[in-house]
């Protein structure tokens, strides 16, 4: 049955963690979905969770779900605020969306310690410093 499903490759969609600002105590980060396509994506569903090992113990965060009716082409949507303390975990974002009547989905995973200043780029469309997975 699975072999009968079309292979819909996800391209020109990115998930990014952007630095929003900082103060003496901490930095503020948000996670964004970036649509780099030439067409809008619709019925976008994103689940997010963190998991891994911290201080020798297995840790899992809550699973959060986010829904956007439409993400226009060449634009972005803020998914959530992310706490710096979770950067030592794997942070997973599973994105599903439609173009027409075709469904697409892809899992984006920020590995532990990958969200660091030395990996920052200027994020397209969002125009903020951060880390992006395409």
């Amino acid at each position: 049955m699975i072999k009968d499903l079309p292979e819909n490759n996800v391209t020109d969609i990115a998930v990014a963690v952007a630095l929003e600002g900082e103060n003496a105590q901490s930095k503020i980060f948000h996670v964004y979905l970036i649509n780099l396509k030439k067409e809008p994506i619709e019925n976008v569903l994103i689940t997010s969770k963190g998991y891994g090992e911290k201080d020798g113990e297995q840790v899992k965060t809550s699973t959060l779900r986010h829904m956007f009716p439409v993400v226009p082409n060449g634009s972005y949507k803020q998914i959530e605020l992310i706490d710096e303390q979770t950067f030592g975990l794997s942070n997973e974002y599973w994105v599903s969306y439609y173009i027409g009547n075709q469904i697409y989905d892809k899992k984006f995973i920020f590995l532990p310690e990958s969200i660091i200043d030395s990996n920052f780029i200027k994020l397209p469309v969002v125009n903020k410093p951060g880390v992006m997975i395409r």
Side-chain angles (χ1 to χ4, degrees), residues 19 22 27 29 84 113-121 129-131:
L19 176 63
E22 54 187 304
K27 295 179 180 179
F29 292 91
E84 269 186 285
E113 308 305 333
S114 63
I115 306 169
I116 55 174
D117 291 349
S118 62
N119 290 339
F120 281 14
I121 60 169
V131 178

Side-chain angles (χ1 to χ4, degrees), residues 55-69:
D55 300 327
E57 291 190 28
Q58 288 297 314
V59 176
K60 288 186 347 183
T61 67
S62 299
T63 298
L64 303 176
R65 290 169 183 79
H66 311 275
M67 171 65 175
F68 303 107

Side-chain angles (χ1 to χ4, degrees), residues 40-103:
I41 58 176
E42 300 176 328
N43 297 319
V44 181
L45 177 65
I46 302 168
T47 59
S48 64
K49 64 181 177 180
Y51 53 87
E53 191 174 305
K54 190 168 185 171
D55 300 327
E57 291 190 28
Q58 288 297 314
V59 176
K60 288 186 347 183
T61 67
S62 299
T63 298
L64 303 176
R65 290 169 183 79
H66 311 275
M67 171 65 175
F68 303 107
V70 176
V71 180
N73 54 305
S75 71
Y76 63 90
K77 294 285 185 179
Q78 180 181 318
I79 300 171
E80 63 189 14
L81 180 70
I82 187 169
D83 191 323
E84 269 186 285
Q85 294 181 21
T86 65
F87 292 173
L89 303 174
S90 293
N91 288 285
E92 176 184 297
Y93 295 86
W94 193 327
V95 179
S96 298
Y97 62 91
Y98 281 85
I99 297 177
N101 63 355
Q102 291 292 312
I103 190 168

